[in-house]
Amino acid sequence: MSDRPKISAALRRLLLRLHFYAGILIAPFLLVSALTGLAYALSYPLEDALYDDLATVEVGGERLSLADQVNAVIEAHPDWTVTAVRPAAEDDASTTVLVDDGVVRESGAVATVYVDPYTGDLLGESTSYGSSQAGPVREWISTLHRNLHLGEPGRLYSELAASWLWVVALGGLVLWLAKRRRNGGLLRPKPSGSGRARTLAWHGPVGLWLVAVLLFLSVTGLTWSRYAGENVAELRAALSWTTPAVTVDSGAAAGDHAEHDHSGATGSSAFAVTLLDSVYATALDADMNGPLQITLPSGAGTQYLVAETQRSLPLEQDQLVVETASGAPEVDQELRFADWPFMAQVTNVFIAAHMGLLFGLANQLILAAAMVAVVLMIVWGYRMWWQRRPVGRPVGRPYPRGGLRRLPWPLVAGVVAVAAGVGWFVPLLGISLAAFVVIDVLIGLWQRFRPTKESGEGGEGTVSRRTALATATISAAVGAGVGLAVASTRGGGGEAAAEDSGVEPFFGERQSGIATPAQRHALFAAFDLAETELGTGAALDAAGIAANLEALLADWSAVAAALAAGEAPPKASVDGTDQFDAEAVAAGLAPARLTVTFGIGPAAFGKAGLATAQPSKLVELPEFDGDRLNPAWSGGDLLLQICGDDPQVVSGAFLELRKRAVGLGELHWVQQGFSSAPAGGGTPRNLMGFKDGSANPKAGTEAFDARAWAVDSEPSWFEGGTYLVFRKIRMRLPDWSMLTAEDQNLTFGRERDSGVPLSGGGEFDHPDFTALDDAGLPAVPADSHTAVVHDAPMVRRGYNYDYGFLTQGDVSSDAATDGHLTEHSNDTHHMHAEHPYDAGLLFVSFQADPQAFIDAQEKMAASDRLSEFITAEGSAVFALPPGAAEGGFVGEGLFST
């Protein structure tokens, strides 16, 4: 039981790699086949238009006899031999006379003369190909589709495409059905998010609907192939599935694929045509319907072959041999389509459908639409490959090796046996698959044993991940004391020395809450500046708004300073002697390292008439691919970041600060989060189970200062401030929980439990992107979260949030679609769909330039596999002024510029 998920994961990995290589390497052949197939499907209406003057006539009076129509051709071309006649099947159709004009043509091609059945006038000449009666245009396109006009060698291209088509189609079907779609999108395209996930949302459903057509085209196409076709023919013969045929002494014959092999009528000697009309009448009396072809005997022969040629529904494929030796035509042999073996009938029907004949124009349009869909599937497939590209590279990487090695040996033997059997029956598939495997193994061996690092002059071989981990373990054991000391203080996960007193100073060169070691609880609140006067409702001008902003920042600073010190804040103007005091909420509680950090949004400067003092890099963030932003959780003129180790202290501070905004600003949105460091210190974890913040530089270091503090080209009042980016990121935890631990590690590029990069080392070591894993692939995948954002110059300060199951459909931007669709009961599914789970990360980053975040986010949207499991629902950016001097307030310099 425990091995089943491992086997399933290994099979999926093997199928992913096979589907990937087939898609990348065989897709060009499929693309050519699809484009030429599209041209072939459209050649029917094109040819009808081009040859309309030959195929149709004006309806006249009584028709001439067939003998007279044929004699008209003989009189015009006495040196030509008539071989067959196709009597006009409709009132406005011409009669087609097949002749041997002495010109050497390819097999199945015959010269044709078109005759007006009412007047006997010759309408023109052309060439007909096979029993499908293709003209030169359709035949040229058919040959292009079949062999690219390269003759027998060219058939290998179409056989290779047909050989792999069913593998690609079935592999894609299994992978798509196995991909659990909690938010719908299985049967119809439901694009959401960005990057590869959005492309897959089209590729998967379209492929699902297309798979039956692709399998049909692959199977029927192989019957015409060179090598697999021979095996198919032998199998059909062994199972008595071959198409029967009558025997005539004229040399004319009918058989399998006559319409595609171009095996038409033969016979090239002079003969009398006086019995032609009586033969035609005999065939009609024998219930021969639809368009007919009457093949005349050659030499001294006396037998005529009459065959129905209608390949569209209802099929008419009966055949008669009419004997005229006695002078009076009589039926000598008959072969009715209803008497064919069942599988021969099925084969004939399938071939007609493959050629676009079975349903007429509708059949041709369906084939054309399918070919367009195939082209789109190929384009989407290549696009997904490109979207999985490593950073700085033009194309994506293949799926990891090792799927076959992870399977039990009996199952491996079964896979190999099936592959060998299929490869024998479909030789080009077997040969190309074997070539793929050999080349892939050689590349893997080369990647595994090639030198990647050099040490001294001699150079070292590859340092495996296992060796790196072993080295790290030994080093940690030797320096355990030092390691524990570092681990307890590094990465923002440990408690600060200030925890003893519970006081974080408010006044200083920088605002607190930025370099401050992260507290356990946080509340983020955004306000919009009031633009009307409280009470009167009169509109405020820019000067009035600026005055309110200054007053609010001054008041908030005084309150925050008092609360952080554990003191009672000054009375608010709205407080009365008998009114409830908000500070009573936290009465008797220690300050719990409370910090309050203020930010100013881009729109606030314009509203307050301070546009000239706006920091040059403070602009609204763009909406990125994959964002599903709710305006109710985005933007804002002012930000309060309230952090502390006691949630009640945080809540009390928010209530006290919020009431000070009455009349000056309106609350826009609020988000609350938490963060819990492991026992003994260390980096906190997010709700996906991974350590969050391992890549942060330590506060006070040059690296931290370079990333966080805004310098140069900024207004003087903002010197030493920073930019805060806020993002409410909802995690698709039900989807995430279905991944294996290995897939989760590969998504982040780190070990979940230790936080160590997959390249080895320690949690805080920089990943080695040149290190390879046991399969010869980069140990840290190029599309992992670590690889994509490792060099982003910012400092993270994220907090988890968990709002549980939502109870109002309009609370979440994807409430109606984000269900946890599993094998659970219908009631459970309904609960998840109607009340989606809203949990994730309140992402906060500080950076000297918001462009650093924008660049990182754009790279994530393009190639980070983590993007499939997260959605940004809120977004904002703020300028955080420098700290305030004792007795001053945050942002004071803004009003003295």
Side-chain angles (χ1 to χ4, degrees), residues 236-592:
R236 291 180 62 197
L239 298 176
S240 300
W241 289 357
T242 54
T243 302
V246 296
T247 303
V248 292
D249 62 8
S250 65
D256 288 356
H257 299 173
E259 70 291 329
H260 215 74
D261 293 339
H262 308 302
S263 55
T266 59
S268 57
S269 62
F271 55 86
V273 295
T274 54
L275 294 178
L276 190 57
D277 289 281
S278 58
V279 170
Y280 185 34
T282 300
L284 294 178
D285 291 341
D287 199 26
M288 295 291 283
N289 302 309
L292 300 178
Q293 176 171 307
I294 305 174
T295 303
L296 283 73
S298 61
T302 58
Q303 293 182 340
Y304 293 72
L305 172 64
V306 183
E308 295 176 339
T309 61
Q310 180 166 305
R311 305 299 302 277
S312 60
L313 293 177
L315 266 73
E316 303 287 355
Q317 292 288 287
D318 295 346
Q319 297 180 6
L320 292 180
V321 174
V322 178
E323 177 62 67
T324 60
S326 64
E330 57 184 14
V331 176
D332 181 68
Q333 301 176 52
E334 62 179 300
L335 177 62
R336 302 293 179 176
F337 181 72
D339 297 330
W340 289 18
F342 174 72
M343 289 307 300
Q345 294 179 5
V346 171
T347 300
N348 187 276
V349 170
F350 280 7
I351 290 173
H354 183 108
M355 298 187 66
L357 296 169
L358 189 62
F359 308 110
L361 180 60
N363 197 161
Q364 295 146 26
L365 293 178
I366 290 173
L367 288 176
M371 293 303 98
V372 171
V374 170
V375 172
L376 290 175
M377 291 289 293
I378 293 171
V379 171
W380 287 330
Y382 275 112
R383 177 171 173 78
M384 286 191 292
W385 179 39
W386 178 78
Q387 288 171 327
R388 292 184 68 247
R389 68 194 186 282
V391 178
R393 297 186 182 180
V395 295
R397 64 184 183 90
Y399 285 93
R401 297 182 181 88
L404 194 62
R405 295 197 304 268
R406 295 169 182 260
L407 296 175
W409 280 110
L411 192 54
V412 172
V415 171
V416 172
V418 169
V422 172
W424 170 82
F425 191 79
V426 188
L428 286 191
L429 172 61
I431 293 171
S432 56
L433 178 59
F436 288 170
V437 172
V438 171
I439 294 173
D440 196 38
V441 169
L442 292 176
I443 293 176
L445 292 173
W446 175 74
Q447 289 180 337
R448 178 175 298 184
F449 295 109
R450 66 173 178 172
T452 59
K453 294 184 179 180
E454 293 185 357
S455 176
E457 296 180 358
E460 296 285 344
T462 299
V463 179
S464 69
R465 176 178 158 201
R466 184 173 301 167
T467 303
L469 288 174
T471 303
T473 303
I474 295 171
S475 300
V478 173
V482 176
L484 289 174
V486 172
S488 65
T489 59
R490 193 170 181 182
E495 299 296 339
E499 186 179 8
D500 294 338
S501 65
V503 173
E504 293 288 351
F506 176 80
F507 296 109
E509 182 181 0
R510 317 283 191 190
Q511 286 198 70
S512 58
I514 302 172
T516 307
Q519 299 97 320
R520 295 178 178 176
H521 301 276
L523 183 149
F524 301 89
F527 293 79
D528 291 329
L529 289 172
E531 299 184 69
T532 58
E533 187 174 2
L534 182 64
T536 67
L540 292 171
D541 59 12
I545 296 175
N548 285 345
L549 174 59
E550 182 177 10
L552 183 57
L553 289 175
D555 195 11
W556 273 356
S557 295
V559 172
L563 294 177
E567 301 171 355
K571 286 290 183 178
S573 59
V574 297
D575 286 344
T577 56
D578 60 346
Q579 187 174 2
F580 170 75
D581 290 331
E583 64 266 22
V585 172
L589 298 179

Side-chain angles (χ1 to χ4, degrees), residues 693-784:
S694 299
N696 272 345
K698 187 176 181 181
T701 63
E702 291 184 3
F704 185 100
D705 293 344
R707 292 186 182 191
W709 307 123
V711 294
D712 302 330
S713 69
E714 299 288 353
S716 59
W717 73 270
F718 190 64
E719 182 73 26
T722 187
Y723 294 96
L724 180 148
V725 169
F726 174 87
R727 304 271 285 178
K728 177 183 183 288
I729 299 176
R730 182 167 173 185
M731 296 176 173
R732 300 186 182 279
L733 295 178
D735 292 16
W736 179 255
S737 67
M738 301 306 296
L739 292 185
T740 63
E742 180 185 17
D743 285 339
Q744 291 182 353
N745 289 345
L746 291 172
T747 299
F748 270 94
R750 291 179 177 271
E751 296 283 356
R752 181 183 61 190
D753 296 336
S754 65
V756 172
L758 295 183
S759 55
E763 176 189 349
F764 305 105
D765 290 342
H766 193 280
D768 180 2
F769 296 109
T770 65
L772 304 177
D773 61 14
D774 293 339
L777 293 173
V780 181
D783 59 352
S784 66

Side-chain angles (χ1 to χ4, degrees), residues 666-713:
E666 297 177 354
L667 184 63
H668 184 48
W669 55 259
V670 177
Q671 298 289 328
Q672 294 173 278
F674 56 88
S675 178
S676 300
T683 309
R685 296 183 183 274
N686 58 36
L687 297 186
M688 287 180 165
F690 280 76
K691 295 191 174 186
D692 199 333
S694 299
N696 272 345
K698 187 176 181 181
T701 63
E702 291 184 3
F704 185 100
D705 293 344
R707 292 186 182 191
W709 307 123
V711 294
D712 302 330
S713 69

